[in-house]
Amino acid sequence: RRCALAIAQPTAETHAHLVRPGEVTPGIAGAEYAARRAAMASRLPRGSVALFAPAPLAYMSHDVPYPFQQAPDLHYLCGFAEPSCLLACVKRGGGDGGRSSGSGVDAPDDAEWLLFVEPSDPAQALWDGPRAGIDGARRHILPDGEVLKIGAAPTALLRILDAMDASRGDTAIRPGLLFDVDRNPQLTAALRPVLEWCKERQLRVTRAAA
């Protein structure tokens, strides 16, 4: 039996009176979140990377934040409640591994999901409470995707976009980025290398919420 892992939100391991086994948030099972992600991925254009940013932290004083409420789309897709994160959906084009059912409808496994999170830090947890970290997010939030450190997001996204652009073959599909650049200014600044790379390659960036 695995030891209970405390994260920044209730889980079945730590709050059995609120969250049942198999649920990510009270009343909503992990399978429901997976179905929501699959439905979202099916609506994205091939050759795109959709980024779902968290809500920004707001402070009532210099170092006292208001209670955090996650961005609705990110919460709807995975239920993660921490502010320092990024959810990404990679929908590859036909030239780089994209699959189709033959009727123009994408296969269920056509998309990949990544969650970037802040690593757990025991010293920080003394002041701000526990974080999920990579292990907690993989166990409780996105067991069917890849979980990486938030600091690795620019490099990982650049590698993905570059590979998609280089391997598209003779298809007309070029990778594009869907990202609400106005939601979280701090995250947008951290992803500036990705936005500049897209600009240099003349790749489309949809500057609206995905």
Side-chain angles (χ1 to χ4, degrees):
R1 181 178 180 180
R2 295 183 299 183
C3 296
L5 178 63
I7 65 175
Q9 62 193 82
T11 70
E13 296 177 359
T14 60
H15 295 73
H17 61 293
L18 294 177
V19 184
R20 296 177 180 177
E23 293 180 347
V24 175
T25 55
I28 304 179
E32 170 63 23
Y33 282 109
R36 293 175 180 181
R37 290 192 293 271
M40 169 58 71
S42 71
R43 289 166 171 79
L44 293 174
R46 294 182 185 176
S48 65
V49 176
L51 304 181
F52 302 90
L57 281 172
Y59 290 84
M60 61 182 75
S61 65
H62 177 68
D63 58 356
V64 180
Y66 286 102
F68 179 71
Q69 184 172 353
Q70 188 58 276
D73 54 359
L74 193 154
H75 188 271
Y76 178 82
L77 290 169
C78 70
F80 196 49
E82 294 184 23
S84 183
C85 67
L86 176 66
L87 181 66
C89 180
V90 180
K91 182 74 170 286
R92 301 184 185 276
D96 62 340
R99 292 171 293 279
S100 172
S101 64
S103 61
V105 178
D106 293 326
D109 59 349
D110 194 53
E112 304 166 28
W113 289 88
L114 300 91
L115 180 62
F116 299 91
V117 302
E118 196 73 37
S120 58
D121 182 347
Q124 168 272 334
L126 294 175
W127 297 94
D128 301 326
R131 297 184 184 130
I134 293 175
D135 291 340
R138 184 180 293 122
R139 182 191 298 189
H140 296 292
I141 308 298
L142 196 71
D144 57 346
E146 186 173 2
V147 181
L148 302 169
K149 295 188 298 184
I150 187 67
T155 300
L157 293 172
L158 282 171
R159 183 174 65 250
I160 290 169
L161 287 165
D162 186 61
M164 290 171 67
D165 193 38
S167 62
R168 61 190 176 91
D170 296 329
T171 68
I173 299 176
R174 297 198 68 196
L177 190 67
L178 293 85
F179 177 45
D180 184 354
V181 298
D182 298 320
R183 173 183 294 174
N184 191 315
Q186 184 176 2
L187 179 62
T188 298
L191 295 179
R192 185 170 299 279
V194 178
L195 299 173
E196 292 295 331
W197 184 90
C198 290
K199 182 178 180 181
E200 292 173 2
R201 297 292 184 95
Q202 298 183 330
L203 301 181
R204 69 187 188 275
V205 177
T206 303
R207 296 176 177 270

